[in-house]
């Protein structure tokens, strides 16, 4: 078998170097020897590129990452996959069934207790992983949003698990507590006014943080803004439902409070269902853009319409 001499190996390396040096970062020709093979290689590389490996327009960047374009050190966005879609999967597969439960469709109910595992492993795990991914590639806004909702789903799921004793701790009557033989999670706690009023405050402040997210989303797109707008309304109605449940359990004769609570639950579920529809739309838009699909759907880009403070400062200094 013939062996290659060092000179031949060096010559081959030089030829390979020349072949790939005829193209710039974006596939543009630069000075140097080019051949027909160079052109073919460049065309092939262009066809292989996807939205995640080329320079993105501001509109496409905002659609993919749900955040205005920002400058970060290094090429982490080209090294790692886009974490946004997997976080949206966790959010949507938790929220959509819950909204249907709250509206009572097809006899559903129980405030989503049947989906407790979904809240932990889709809502909690996937959204936390997505948040970490956004943090790694330097996208602060989606990192905070996904991390917040990942923690929300873990909290909501834990509240439904009897061993966490979230509602059982409110059972102070020894006779009622004895019915569970000392085990945590006494269901009688669900009818204690203090538990319902306390849980309502958690929903109130989830609505507050969604209101802040809604204001910030004015720099992203219309669909993302609609998501937070409907979340604010949904959390507000659900908080009202729990406050009214507290009144109804405090005074069983207060039928008006019980009626208001039931209506608020259904109304909250309806708003969350609209949130889910907007979420499914933006998820589809991101997946189509990630694959450079020939059909793209709009999300109503706002990142170029509402200028950032740094952009305005540059204009004023120019």
């Amino acid at each position: 078998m013939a062996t290659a001499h060092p000179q031949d190996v060096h010559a081959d390396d030089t030829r390979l170097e020349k072949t790939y040096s005829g193209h710039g970062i974006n596939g543009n020709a630069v000075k140097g020897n080019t051949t027909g093979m160079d052109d073919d290689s460049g065309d092939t590389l262009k066809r292989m590129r996807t939205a995640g490996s080329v320079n993105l327009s501001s509109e496409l960047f905002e659609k993919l990452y749900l955040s205005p374009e920002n400058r970060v050190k290094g090429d982490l966005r080209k090294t790692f996959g886009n974490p946004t879609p997997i976080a949206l999967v966790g959010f949507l597969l938790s929220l959509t069934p819950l909204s249907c439960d709250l509206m009572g469709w097809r006899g559903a109910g129980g405030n989503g207790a049947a989906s407790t595992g979904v809240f932990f492993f889709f809502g909690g795990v996937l959204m936390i992983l997505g948040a970490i991914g956004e943090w790694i590639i330097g996208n602060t806004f989606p990192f905070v949003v996904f991390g917040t909702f990942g923690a929300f789903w873990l909290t909501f799921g834990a509240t439904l698990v009897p061993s966490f004793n979230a509602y059982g701790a409110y059972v102070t009557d020894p006779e009622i507590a004895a019915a569970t033989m000392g085990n945590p999670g006494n269901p009688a706690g669900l009818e204690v006014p203090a538990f319902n009023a306390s849980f309502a405050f958690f929903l109130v402040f989830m609505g507050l943080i969604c209101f802040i997210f809604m204001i910030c989303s004015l720099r992203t797109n219309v669909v993302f803004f609609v998501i937070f707008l409907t979340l604010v309304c949904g959390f507000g109605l659900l908080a009202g439902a729990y406050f009214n449940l507290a009144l109804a359990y405090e005074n069983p004769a207060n039928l008006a409070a019980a009626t208001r609570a039931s209506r608020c639950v259904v109304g909250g579920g309806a708003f969350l269902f609209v949130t889910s529809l907007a979420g499914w739309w933006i998820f589809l838009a991101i997946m189509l853009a990630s694959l450079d699909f020939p059909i793209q759907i709009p999300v109503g880009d706002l990142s170029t319409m509402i200028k950032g403070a740094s952009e305005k400062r540059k204009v004023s200094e120019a």
Side-chain angles (χ1 to χ4, degrees), residues 31-60:
K31 290 183 179 181
N33 295 331
T34 60
T35 63
M37 183 181 295
D38 296 337
D39 296 334
D40 292 340
S41 300
D43 292 339
T44 302
L45 288 172
K46 287 179 182 178
R47 288 194 297 269
M48 291 174 61
R49 284 173 176 151
T50 62
S53 61
V54 296
N55 291 330
L56 306 178
S57 65
S58 297
E59 181 178 359
L60 181 57

Side-chain angles (χ1 to χ4, degrees), residues 123-143:
V125 173
L126 291 188
M127 294 204 74
I128 293 296
L129 289 176
I132 294 173
E134 298 285 1
W135 172 67
I136 289 174
I137 62 178
N139 294 336
T140 301
F141 182 52
F143 155 60

Side-chain angles (χ1 to χ4, degrees), residues 5-288:
H5 294 286
Q7 297 89 337
D8 297 332
V9 174
H10 178 72
D12 291 339
D13 290 342
T14 303
R15 284 194 295 271
L16 286 172
E17 187 178 69
K18 288 181 178 180
T19 299
Y20 289 100
S21 64
H23 300 277
I25 295 176
N26 294 318
N28 299 322
V30 296
K31 290 183 179 181
N33 295 331
T34 60
T35 63
M37 183 181 295
D38 296 337
D39 296 334
D40 292 340
S41 300
D43 292 339
T44 302
L45 288 172
K46 287 179 182 178
R47 288 194 297 269
M48 291 174 61
R49 284 173 176 151
T50 62
S53 61
V54 296
N55 291 330
L56 306 178
S57 65
S58 297
E59 181 178 359
L60 181 57
F61 183 94
E62 179 277 319
K63 179 188 286 188
L64 288 171
Y65 295 104
L66 302 180
S67 176
E69 186 176 7
N70 59 334
R71 302 297 180 186
V72 295
K73 185 177 180 180
D75 292 324
L76 292 178
R77 289 172 182 148
K78 297 179 181 180
T79 304
F80 296 100
N82 183 6
T84 306
I86 196 64
L88 287 174
V89 167
F91 179 74
L92 293 172
L93 289 182
S94 299
L95 185 66
T96 310
L98 176 61
S99 65
C100 296
D101 288 350
L102 295 174
M103 290 187 290
W105 283 0
R106 302 292 296 175
N111 290 335
S115 301
T116 302
V118 177
F119 300 150
F120 278 107
F121 297 106
F122 273 95
V125 173
L126 291 188
M127 294 204 74
I128 293 296
L129 289 176
I132 294 173
E134 298 285 1
W135 172 67
I136 289 174
I137 62 178
N139 294 336
T140 301
F141 182 52
F143 155 60
V144 175
V145 171
F146 296 155
T148 299
F149 276 93
F152 167 79
W153 290 119
L154 291 173
T155 302
F156 188 64
T159 304
L160 296 173
V161 175
S163 59
F164 279 88
N165 206 33
Y167 45 85
Y170 287 86
V171 179
T172 57
D173 189 327
E175 294 183 1
I176 299 177
T180 61
M181 297 179 293
N183 293 325
N186 191 324
L190 294 171
E191 299 181 1
V192 176
F195 167 76
N196 287 276
S198 299
F199 192 73
F201 280 112
F202 172 57
L203 298 176
V204 166
F205 290 106
M206 278 300 301
L208 175 60
I209 198 169
C210 285
F211 180 75
I212 296 173
F213 290 156
M214 182 187 72
I215 295 174
C216 295
S217 69
L218 288 170
R219 286 274 291 136
T220 59
N221 61 65
V222 174
V223 181
F224 213 30
F225 174 82
V226 170
I227 286 176
F228 291 117
L229 174 63
T230 51
L231 280 173
V232 170
C233 297
F235 278 123
L237 285 170
L238 292 177
Y242 278 94
F243 279 130
N244 278 282
L245 280 175
L247 295 175
Y249 288 134
E250 186 177 18
N251 179 14
N254 192 348
L255 299 180
T259 302
R260 286 195 301 270
S262 178
R263 290 176 178 174
C264 285
V265 168
V266 175
F271 272 105
L272 296 183
F273 188 73
V274 176
T275 303
S276 300
L277 293 179
W280 285 109
W281 179 270
I282 208 167
F283 173 71
L284 176 60
I286 291 174
M287 294 306 295
L288 293 178

